[in-house]
Amino acid sequence: MPDQHRQDGPVVAGIELASVVARLGAAAPAADATAAFPREGIEAVHQAGLLELTVAERYGGRNIPLGDLARLTAALGRGDPSVALISLMTLFSHRHQTQRGEWPEALYRRVLAEGRQGPVLLNAARGEPELGSPARGGLPQTVARRTTRGWSISGTKRFVTGCEGLSYFLVWASTDESPPRVGTFVVPAAAAGIRIVRNWKSLGMRATGSHDVEFGEVEVGRDDVIGLTAADVAQQDNRAHAAATLVLTAIYLGVAEAAQDAFRAFAEDRVPANLGYPVARTERFITLAGEIDLLVGGARQLIFDAVDHAEGEPEKLLRARVLAGRQLRQAVQIAVGALGNPGLSGGGSLERHFRDIQSVLVHAPQEDIVIAILGRAALARPGDTAAATGLRDSPHLATVPNGSDLAPPPQSTLQRQGAPRTLRISS
C-alpha cells in the first residue's frame, strides 16, 4: 500500500493523524524530562480510536493490514516514540488475538468493553533477570501454581514497557505441573501482589517506563491463560516474529524523520552574521541534507516495501530491519554532528531524538541474532529448514516479541550460541 499524505499530514487507514502527532510532539519533551508515564500522549491515541485498529472484524474492529500498522507506528514515533512503543504493544496483542483467537472469549470481550471507557493497555511481560531475552532461548522462571480458584503467579519480569499504565500484564510463565507447561497468563494490573520496581534509567525512550515488575502470588482465573502448551514446544520463533519486529523498527523511522525536521529547521533558521543568509543554502548543508535524505528515505523504502510485499518471507523482513535500523541511526548521527553543540543541547529536540534512536536495534531479537539467522540461511543446503532457522519453528507461540526487551544479552549467552562476539556493527 503506498504512503498516504495530505497537505496537513499523514493519513493511515483513512484516519488523519496530523493532530494526534502534533499532540504527541508537544507533550514528548516533558515526558522525556521527567521519565513519567506519558498519559497525555496515550489519551490522545485513545481518543483518536487508534489502540483497537488491529481488533478482528468479528468483534467490530478493523483489523488493519500490516502495512497500515507500520505506517501508523512511524507516524506516532515521529510525535513520541515512547507513546508509539506502548501503543504498539497493545496493537500487537489485539493482532495476535485476531490471528490466533487464543484468548478466553469472555475475558477478551470484557477487555474490549473496557476500552470503550478509556485506554486499555496490554503488554507481554517476558524478559527476566536470569533468563534475559526469550529470543535467545530458555524457559521462564516465573511460576504459575494451581490453586482452588485458578492460578497463582510468582516471579520477576524485566523491562515491562508502559507497566505503570497497563490494564493487563500478559505474563509468560511455567506451570508447577509435572511435566511443566508454558503459557501467557492474563493478569489484571489492579490485582493484589503486583509491585513495580522503578529502575528504568535508560539513555533514551525514557517515558516508556520499562521497569521491572514483581508478581507475588498474584491470583488469576483458571481460564485466564493464552497458548498454554508443553514446555518443549514453547521456544520463541524469531523468524515467525520477523514482521512484527520490522513494524517495531518503524517507530524509529518516525524518530529519524523528526530529527530530519529538526535539522531542516535549524538550517533554515540559522543565519550567521558573517554569512548573511541561512546555512541551508551552503553547499555543506545541502550535501548533509542529501545524505540524511538518502538514509532516512532509503530506510522508509526498505521497511514499507518489505511489510507490503514480503510479509511471509522472514529473511527479507529481518534483512530490511537491520539495514533500515543502521541507516536511521547513522542519519541522526549525521544531523547531530552537523549542528555541533546545538545538536547536543538539552534545549533542542535533536538531542532527544539522538538518545531515542540508540534503541533501534536493541529490541529482541537483537542484531547479532538476526545476523546469525541470515548467516545460517545463507549457508544452509536447499531444503535444510532446521539449519536455516537456528531456533526450531514452533506452532505454539505465546505472544509477539516484547518490545520492551531493550537490554543487550550477556556475553556468555552469545558464546554458548556460537553467535558473533560483537554486538554492534558500526554504520
Side-chain angles (χ1 to χ4, degrees), residues 294-313:
L294 178 67
L295 294 167
V296 177
R300 188 176 188 90
Q301 285 181 244
L302 283 167
I303 291 170
F304 295 137
D305 282 354
V307 295
D308 287 339
H309 305 298
E311 185 174 349
E313 301 178 69

Side-chain angles (χ1 to χ4, degrees), residues 66 127 290 418:
L66 192 70

